[in-house]
Amino acid sequence: MTDTTRTIDPAGSTGTTRVTTPWEGLVTSALLGTERRTPPAEILAPGKEAPVALLDAAALHTVRRRAGLLPARAAARPEPAPHDGRARLPDAAGRRLSQLLADRSVSSGGAGGRRGAAPDLTELLPQWLAAANEHGYRAPAAVLPALLDAARARTDLRPQALTFAGPRGLWLARLNPEWKFALRGASGGALLPDPRDGEAVRLLWEEGLFAERVALLTVVRAQDAEASRALLASTWSTERAEDRLMFLDSLRTGLSGADEPFLERALSDRSRNVRHTAAELLSALPGSALAGRMAARAATCVSMDRTGGGQVITVEAPHECDADMQRDGVVPAPPAGRGERSWWLGQLVEAAPLATWPARLGGRTPEEIVALPVLDDWADELHAAWCRAAVRQRDARWSTALLGTPAASPAAGPGTSSLAERAKLLATLPPAERASWVASFIAAHGLSEAFQLLGVCAVPWAEPLGRAVVDALDIARDAGSYPWSFSGVMGLAERCLDPAEASRLELLTATQDEPEDASPGAGGYWSEAFRRLVSTLRLRASMLAELNGRNGPGGLGQLAEPTGLTEPAAP
């Protein structure tokens, strides 16, 4: 672009000679410096240094360029925000939400990374959002920008945050490119038609955003599974492979035998991932034809060794992976370091109904089966496949058998020594049994290996589990250990302990005399950690009370007492 301007004399008056000065030349001189790139000669006036002359010329050009702009045509006004008919958030809960979103953490963050005794507000936001959604509240309009910013920064917040934001949150997200994740990846606040309105459902399914279509399929399936399958089948052949995979995954909710014909057709899909997911879903239906085929194959590989008196399991792994096995979801190529035959065997056993084995192995119970010895070092492979099958089929009886007794060493357990796999098995148990098993595990083995297991327990923790965790922390304190070694468990306790336990834990906040062999200063650190735990539990109690429309102990006003800060008391 070439700009034309009047020259400037040293006194600043405008001359009458018109010259042409490229704006790009001024920019280049400014970026490189006047010593390296001399400004255009026409702006250099006697008595002025080059940098001053450059700035004068840039100022003049800027004013002239702005003055020459033509008014733009006004953009169309956005559509009004949609109505959100959910209940209004109580005032005290609204103030609490503003505090959490502002991240007004009262922790001083002192030397050495110490958190202090103040609750970590950022860790309480997910719990607050979950509770607010359970109550069916709508988000106040004023907090929607901060809520979307928080969800943009933290992916773990997005499902709950977008559900709470509702249709107005999605409306607002369409006006800011930084919030486009809300349109792409979540659907909690989408405005969806009534599932009984066939024409509106068809129109959104054919023209909606991907997130809206996923949400629509979920809503329709919850009300009418047959209609959801018909909707999916209507466009199945034209969908992208990655979209077919996501849509197919939505069938996990409410999976039943009625889904089998559709899933059987998906076994011939051109996408390997779609075929594999369809096979996985079918294997979770013990009565499906695929489960029967897998049971027949697996039964030829695992049997009782009659030569050993019928008290030992023998395994003969598959020698090939034929086309029929591959169509039923068996992946032929093993990962690096894994033998082909053991890889195929694991997939067959994992997909076979667990009801296959009592009949196949002498009418024994799951507990008796997993206790049997297995010839030729196949025990680990066989037990690992049974663990995956128990998780896939949500079979609590087999999960209990494979977990073994909590007091037994994980390495000596009948199923798997992997804590991650044990956590998956625990997730299939009823909440009370799960909490009881983990409490007994902690009592026997302490907290060092319990972190992953605690993560699958229902919140708030049942009283036996909460007591086991606190007792183990108290034992670690008496041993003189630093609390940093248990920071993960302490963080879980702050979020998961029953808030009613706060009063009982007061005794642990006192600073104890340190044993001679204790880590220096450990007693003070433990006291601080327990004070933070107690104040966090009280804050959680207040959050729940506020969401119920009342102020409880440790509300906005009382939070200041243990932290040394002042907050206005809730009216």
Side-chain angles (χ1 to χ4, degrees):
M1 171 180 175
T2 301
D3 294 328
T4 303
T5 186
R6 295 181 183 277
T7 59
I8 305 174
D9 65 21
S13 61
T14 304
T16 57
T17 304
R18 301 182 62 84
V19 297
T20 299
T21 304
W23 172 259
E24 288 80 359
L26 297 178
V27 173
T28 302
S29 295
L31 291 175
L32 296 179
T34 55
E35 293 184 354
R36 298 180 60 189
R37 175 64 63 88
T38 303
E42 56 268 22
I43 73 169
L44 295 176
K48 278 193 178 180
E49 295 182 353
V52 175
L54 176 66
L55 293 176
D56 284 345
L60 180 63
H61 275 263
T62 300
V63 172
R64 183 186 60 78
R65 286 158 63 91
R66 290 177 179 174
L69 288 176
L70 296 176
R73 185 178 298 277
R77 296 180 63 182
E79 297 180 0
H83 175 68
D84 189 340
R86 293 177 295 175
R88 179 179 177 273
L89 189 68
D91 291 341
R95 289 191 291 273
R96 179 73 70 191
L97 174 60
S98 296
Q99 181 189 38
L100 296 177
L101 288 173
D103 190 19
R104 293 202 305 236
S105 177
V106 291
S107 172
S108 62
R114 293 176 63 170
R115 287 178 53 194
D120 186 345
L121 301 187
T122 60
E123 292 301 318
L124 295 179
L125 182 55
Q127 194 169 114
W128 190 98
L129 290 170
N133 288 331
E134 288 176 4
H135 282 79
Y137 290 130
R138 69 172 181 266
V143 305
L144 286 175
L147 186 64
L148 290 171
D149 280 339
R152 174 173 172 257
R154 291 179 56 180
T155 56
D156 63 306
L157 289 179
R158 290 182 183 178
Q160 295 287 2
L162 293 176
T163 297
F164 184 58
R168 291 185 173 184
L170 287 184
W171 173 85
L172 190 61
R174 292 187 179 97
L175 305 178
N176 185 346
E178 292 187 350
W179 298 330
K180 62 183 178 182
F181 71 88
L183 309 176
R184 180 180 62 244
S187 55
L191 283 173
L192 302 176
D194 188 321
R196 295 167 295 185
D197 187 345
E199 181 59 26
V201 167
R202 183 194 63 78
L203 187 63
L204 182 60
W205 179 251
E206 293 178 354
E207 300 179 2
L209 298 171
F210 175 70
E212 292 173 330
R213 299 179 73 208
V214 171
L216 177 66
L217 187 64
T218 301
V219 170
V220 173
R221 182 168 177 81
Q223 182 162 319
D224 188 343
E226 183 177 353
S228 71
R229 288 191 298 272
L231 195 65
L232 193 53
S234 67
T235 58
W236 182 258
S237 61
T238 61
E239 303 286 358
R240 299 183 306 167
E242 54 267 35
D243 292 351
R244 294 199 305 277
L245 183 63
M246 290 292 293
F247 291 143
L248 195 64
D249 201 59
S250 70
L251 299 183
R252 294 182 189 276
T253 302
L255 183 68
S256 69
D259 297 310
E260 182 178 359
F262 182 86
L263 293 173
E264 273 285 343
R265 291 193 295 272
L267 289 177
S268 301
D269 195 90
R270 56 187 180 274
S271 166
R272 183 181 67 180
N273 289 333
V274 172
R275 295 195 302 270
H276 181 77
T277 300
E280 180 187 345
L281 292 172
L282 284 168
S283 67
L285 296 170
S288 68
L290 179 139
R293 297 192 295 268
M294 288 299 197
R297 294 175 181 127
T300 64
C301 300
V302 181
S303 61
M304 298 303 299
D305 180 28
R306 302 303 175 186
T307 63
Q311 300 298 318
V312 180
I313 294 177
T314 183
V315 173
E316 180 66 26
H319 290 273
E320 64 173 343
C321 182
D322 58 31
D324 288 339
M325 288 171 60
Q326 293 182 43
R327 182 181 182 275
D328 283 346
V330 178
V331 179
R338 186 81 178 272
E340 283 186 335
R341 297 182 64 198
S342 65
W343 173 243
W344 300 333
L345 172 74
Q347 294 180 80
L348 294 182
V349 174
E350 176 183 355
L354 289 164
T356 303
W357 306 113
R360 178 67 175 165
L361 302 176
R364 292 175 171 84
T365 66
E367 291 80 7
E368 292 170 336
I369 290 174
V370 299
L372 289 171
V374 183
L375 292 176
D376 300 326
D377 298 325
W378 283 104
D380 289 345
E381 186 68 49
L382 186 59
H383 287 176
W386 278 336
C387 286
R388 296 193 297 272
V391 172
R392 180 180 296 187
Q393 299 171 36
R394 310 298 296 176
D395 193 308
R397 176 75 183 276
W398 271 86
S399 292
T400 301
L402 291 161
L403 283 166
T405 61
S409 169
T416 174
S417 60
S418 166
L419 291 174
E421 294 299 324
R422 286 187 153 214
K424 293 178 182 179
L425 291 171
L426 279 168
T428 68
L429 304 185
E433 292 183 26
R434 198 183 313 165
S436 177
W437 197 96
V438 177
S440 298
F441 181 91
I442 291 172
H445 306 289
L447 291 170
S448 59
E449 297 184 349
F451 183 78
Q452 287 179 291
L453 307 183
L454 286 168
V456 299
C457 294
V459 178
W461 288 337
E463 192 276 337
L465 177 57
R467 186 176 295 274
V469 171
V470 173
D471 288 346
L473 289 170
D474 196 18
I475 291 171
R477 178 181 66 166
D478 290 342
S481 303
Y482 273 129
W484 302 326
S485 303
F486 302 92
S487 59
V489 174
M490 187 66 81
L492 275 178
E494 292 173 13
R495 299 189 295 274
C496 302
L497 269 177
D498 191 331
E501 295 289 308
S503 297
R504 187 175 67 84
L505 297 176
E506 279 283 6
L507 293 174
L508 300 179
T509 62
T511 303
Q512 292 185 335
D513 295 334
E514 297 177 1
E516 292 184 0
D517 57 345
S519 302
Y525 287 115
W526 276 108
S527 174
E528 187 178 87
F530 279 119
R531 282 188 284 123
R532 182 174 62 250
L533 175 59
V534 170
S535 60
T536 301
L537 294 179
R538 287 179 172 159
L539 177 54
R540 285 174 53 210
S542 286
M543 286 168 39
L544 297 177
E546 292 158 3
L547 287 166
N548 283 321
R550 63 182 187 273
N551 289 337
L556 284 170
Q558 285 122 344
L559 175 60
E561 182 178 345
T563 63
L565 294 189
T566 57
E567 290 281 358

